[in-house]
Amino acid sequence: MKAWADFGIELHGKSGVEVKTQCPQCSQHRKKKNYPCLNVNTDKGVWNCWHCAWSGTLKTGQDSAPQITKTYRRPEWVQNGTGLPQKVVDWFAKRGIGEAPLKRNQIDYGPVYMPQIEDEANAIKFPYFRGAEVVNVKYRDGNKNFRMHGGAERILYGLNDIAERTVWVEGEIDKLSVEVAGITACVSVPDGAPAPESKSYSSKFDFLDSKALEGVKTHVLAVDNDAPGGRLQEELSRRLGPENCLRVIWPDGCKDANEVLVQHGAKVLRECLDNAQPFPIVGAFEVDDYDAELDSLYDAGLPAGLSSGWINIDANYTVQPGHLTVVTGIPGHGKSEWLDALAVNLASQHGWGFGVYSPENHPVTAHIAKLAEKYTGRPFQPGPTQRMSRSEFDLAQSWLNKHFHFIGPESPTVEAILAVAQQMVKRHGIRGLILDPWNEIEHSRPDNLSETEYISRSLSQLRTFARSCGVHVWLVAHPMKLQKDKDGSTPVPGMYDISGSAHWRNKADFGIAVWRNVMDEVAKVEVHIQKSRHKHLGRVGMVELRYDRVTGRYFGSEASPAPIVRDIKNAAANDLVEL
């Protein structure tokens, strides 16, 4: 067994089972270099740092940096038996919250280490319960600094209170305010609302993977009336299903439940919650349902689509959730490769997550390797070009695991694939769905439907899914056999050349054909945008890209802002500090 000094841990002659000392990993980089943030248990031979979460044992050595894992830590929770100080009770009273909800939710108060000030401070303690067990604790000091426990599970605050009709809010104070209004069936999201400009926040919705939510029939979304709250409301309704959700409209001048309670009282707050309005549902809506959105469109104009990652393509094709793109091309001309490159660009630049059904890219490991090449800009296999290093591949794998989720139901019908994709929307927040290709989907056409009627119905299912879930769907469909030109080349297929039905063009929002001259050794690929239903998102035209066979990347007239491997340890920190 190794000694403490082997890991740079100095006990400075301190004795006892529990010893606090400086952390060799982070103390030297902090303002208070001498603060003892490292907990050492000399009996068990283990250590853990409050500040950087570095941990390990003398038996097996130091643990790696904190990783996303399903094995969670449990905070120690011993409630102060003397009750809350009067100043804390008075603080809640100014916010319209009496002692009853404080006792019911076991609110506590006491000293705790706050990393923002690198010192201990007295803080309000909000325990997060699952059953009788405290799974996490949120702390709030007098300067509005917050923290939760690093490595502890992020669950809903008020998880035990979930009922068939459950209210959703953004903070613990709002949850307590709703209780004052007479509703205990209320939960708060653990990390608040995502910033409006945030690209990827899928991990912030892990709390939706809870069996307790399966019994909820109506979700009343009573989030903050601001930009982050709007982002949260849109994402929750998208994942929970807008048909299962109601939205609360706060009175003018009020941002959240607590402000309504303080300014108008519990009766008005209860009325706001009881009078929650249904979300507009596809196929059943009123113009007034979109009053705010219409005002925004009038003032700011129609929202632009997202960049594809290729400057010269953006003039003809941009991407927006809720649409269906049909991609066609002659086998071997690179339509699947181009679609993979587009997905990597959208994930890298805009934080999108994807569900992928692509049996032609079997096995999945080979598909992942190709995606890793596009992400790193280096080949997976050894060869004349330097391959990606092990560390680059490890980082690429972690990034791909976050953004790409593969679909493979036993019976891959359209309905089965969409059922899995629906769960991916809820669990991972995917924004893109790739089905590649149509002929690898299992089709059981009813006897009473012709082929063209069946294709029409299937495309309608995909388009309805795209609109209701806020997902862009790409569907690859092969053309029928085309007559070769005199020079031996095959012409660019059109949307009406896809086998089975004219509905491939009629029902798609966008139609794209990928083509290259196989007689030409120059790796040029033509992307033909043959249909664009929305003129503010694209237009018909052809764009040339250069294909790099080594990495599977595509480049336009200018080198595209290619994805680069980034150390995932440098990713943006959570809104709340973890320890």
Side-chain angles (χ1 to χ4, degrees):
M1 182 183 295
K2 293 188 177 182
W4 299 112
D6 293 327
F7 301 97
I9 299 173
E10 297 291 341
L11 301 184
H12 304 294
K14 296 179 181 179
S15 60
V17 175
E18 294 288 345
V19 175
K20 293 183 179 181
T21 186
Q22 290 78 37
C23 174
Q25 298 292 314
C26 69
S27 290
Q28 59 182 329
H29 306 297
R30 295 165 53 206
K31 294 179 181 179
K32 296 187 177 182
K33 301 181 184 298
N34 296 321
Y35 189 88
C37 57
L38 187 73
N39 278 348
V40 176
N41 187 302
T42 58
D43 184 35
K44 297 180 180 179
V46 299
W47 69 86
N48 177 69
C49 177
W50 285 0
H51 188 265
C52 68
W54 179 58
S55 61
T57 74
L58 294 180
K59 292 181 180 179
T60 60
Q62 64 184 23
D63 294 340
S64 60
Q67 300 291 322
I68 299 173
T69 176
K70 292 299 181 182
T71 302
Y72 299 106
R73 299 174 184 172
R74 289 289 183 263
E76 294 183 6
W77 174 254
V78 179
Q79 192 166 13
N80 182 1
T82 61
L84 293 173
Q86 189 59 43
K87 66 177 182 178
V88 177
V89 175
D90 294 341
W91 184 86
F92 278 104
K94 290 180 180 178
R95 286 154 181 78
I97 301 170
E99 293 189 57
L102 303 182
K103 292 179 180 179
R104 180 180 179 277
N105 291 276
Q106 301 186 44
I107 309 301
D108 203 6
Y109 183 78
V112 64
Y113 177 78
M114 299 299 290
Q116 295 90 340
I117 61 174
E118 297 190 357
D119 204 348
E120 287 189 347
N122 286 321
I124 299 171
K125 303 177 182 180
F126 299 93
Y128 280 57
F129 284 95
R130 178 190 286 124
E133 182 183 23
V134 175
V135 175
N136 211 326
V137 183
K138 184 181 287 187
Y139 303 96
R140 170 180 173 150
D141 67 15
N143 294 317
K144 293 191 71 174
N145 292 316
F146 297 86
R147 61 153 281 207
M148 295 182 82
H149 281 270
E153 187 178 1
R154 294 291 219 265
I155 65 171
L156 290 166
Y157 182 67
L159 186 67
N160 292 343
D161 294 330
I162 288 176
E164 287 190 357
R165 181 184 174 102
T166 297
V167 178
W168 292 69
V169 294
E170 273 187 50
E172 295 79 11
I173 301 298
D174 289 327
K175 150 75 171 165
L176 300 177
S177 300
V178 171
E179 287 198 23
V180 173
I183 299 175
T184 56
C186 177
V187 294
S188 170
V189 295
D191 290 322
E197 68 277 5
S198 59
K199 293 181 179 179
S200 180
Y201 45 83
S202 58
S203 63
K204 286 184 176 293
F205 289 86
D206 289 346
F207 54 76
L208 290 176
D209 190 19
S210 172
K211 290 185 178 180
L213 292 172
E214 295 176 1
V216 180
K217 294 182 178 179
T218 304
H219 302 273
V220 181
L221 306 187
V223 296
D224 288 6
N225 181 25
D226 57 15
R231 185 80 179 269
L232 177 63
Q233 178 177 273
E234 188 271 338
E235 192 66 16
L236 285 175
S237 66
R238 188 172 76 91
R239 296 189 183 211
L240 298 171
E243 69 279 7
N244 303 317
C245 297
L246 300 174
R247 53 181 177 175
V248 173
I249 308 298
W250 299 126
D252 290 343
C254 293
K255 186 187 74 169
D256 54 35
N258 186 246
E259 287 191 3
V260 177
L261 178 63
V262 172
Q263 296 182 31
H264 301 283
K267 182 180 178 181
V268 173
L269 175 55
R270 180 59 184 261
E271 290 175 352
C272 291
L273 298 169
D274 289 344
N275 295 326
Q277 302 297 308
F279 278 77
I281 305 299
V282 173
F285 57 89
E286 302 293 337
V287 172
D288 287 345
D289 291 333
Y290 298 102
D291 185 59
E293 290 89 339
L294 289 170
D295 285 343
S296 177
L297 287 179
Y298 182 80
D299 293 334
L302 292 169
L306 298 178
S307 170
S308 65
W310 298 290
I311 297 173
N312 52 340
I313 280 186
D314 288 343
N316 295 83
Y317 181 68
T318 57
V319 180
Q320 200 176 76
H323 295 115
L324 170 64
T325 296
V326 172
V327 180
T328 191
I330 298 165
H333 280 221
K335 55 186 177 298
S336 296
E337 284 284 307
W338 176 79
L339 192 50
D340 278 351
L342 173 65
V344 169
N345 284 355
L346 291 169
S348 178
Q349 296 178 32
H350 308 295
W352 274 32
F354 286 85
V356 180
Y357 173 74
S358 185
E360 285 193 346
N361 274 304
H362 187 78
V364 173
T365 50
H367 195 183
I368 293 171
K370 289 200 296 183
L371 292 170
E373 289 180 332
K374 290 175 172 60
Y375 180 65
T376 63
R378 295 182 186 274
F380 183 81
Q381 295 280 83
T385 302
Q386 182 180 352
R387 70 184 302 199
M388 66 184 76
S389 67
R390 165 56 70 173
S391 61
E392 286 175 332
F393 175 67
D394 288 343
L395 292 172
Q397 183 177 346
S398 295
W399 182 84
L400 290 168
N401 186 60
K402 181 179 179 182
H403 293 282
F404 288 84
H405 314 279
F406 296 89
I407 299 173
E410 292 184 7
S411 180
T413 62
V414 171
E415 291 79 9
I417 292 171
L418 291 183
V420 176
Q422 178 73 60
Q423 292 301 308
M424 287 181 171
V425 171
K426 181 178 180 181
R427 182 170 298 184
H428 304 298
I430 63 168
R431 281 292 186 181
L433 174 63
I434 295 174
L435 308 180
D436 180 13
W438 168 257
N439 64 295
E440 289 287 351
I441 296 175
E442 187 175 296
H443 303 292
S444 299
R445 177 163 58 89
D447 293 336
N448 62 333
L449 291 181
S450 67
E451 182 179 14
T452 189
E453 288 171 335
Y454 171 73
I455 290 174
S456 175
R457 189 185 72 172
S458 299
L459 293 176
S460 293
Q461 286 178 289
L462 294 173
R463 201 169 61 182
T464 298
F465 168 80
R467 282 147 173 68
S468 63
C469 294
V471 171
H472 195 113
V473 178
W474 287 268
L475 175 60
V476 175
H478 295 312
M480 64 184 72
K481 188 174 182 180
L482 299 174
Q483 189 72 32
K484 290 186 178 181
D485 293 333
K486 293 181 179 180
D487 62 358
S489 65
T490 308
V492 179
M495 301 296 292
Y496 289 129
D497 292 323
I498 302 175
S499 178
S501 173
H503 287 300
W504 292 112
R505 178 180 176 87
N506 299 340
K507 295 235 169 179
D509 294 302
F510 300 93
I512 293 177
V514 178
W515 185 90
R516 68 184 180 91
N517 187 349
V518 295
M519 310 299 291
D520 191 347
E521 294 185 0
V522 179
K524 287 185 179 179
V525 176
E526 295 179 4
V527 179
H528 294 257
I529 294 84
Q530 298 178 337
K531 180 183 178 181
S532 178
R533 189 187 299 276
H534 308 282
K535 62 183 180 181
H536 68 287
L537 298 178
R539 65 190 182 195
V540 173
M542 187 275 285
V543 180
E544 255 189 14
L545 297 176
R546 178 173 55 85
Y547 177 62
D548 179 8
R549 290 189 176 92
V550 176
T551 64
R553 285 183 169 187
Y554 292 77
F555 299 90
S557 53
E558 303 175 37
S560 63
I564 56 172
V565 172
R566 298 176 300 274
D567 190 326
I568 56 174
K569 297 178 184 177
N570 295 328
N574 286 334
D575 294 339
L576 294 172
V577 177
E578 288 189 349
L579 287 179

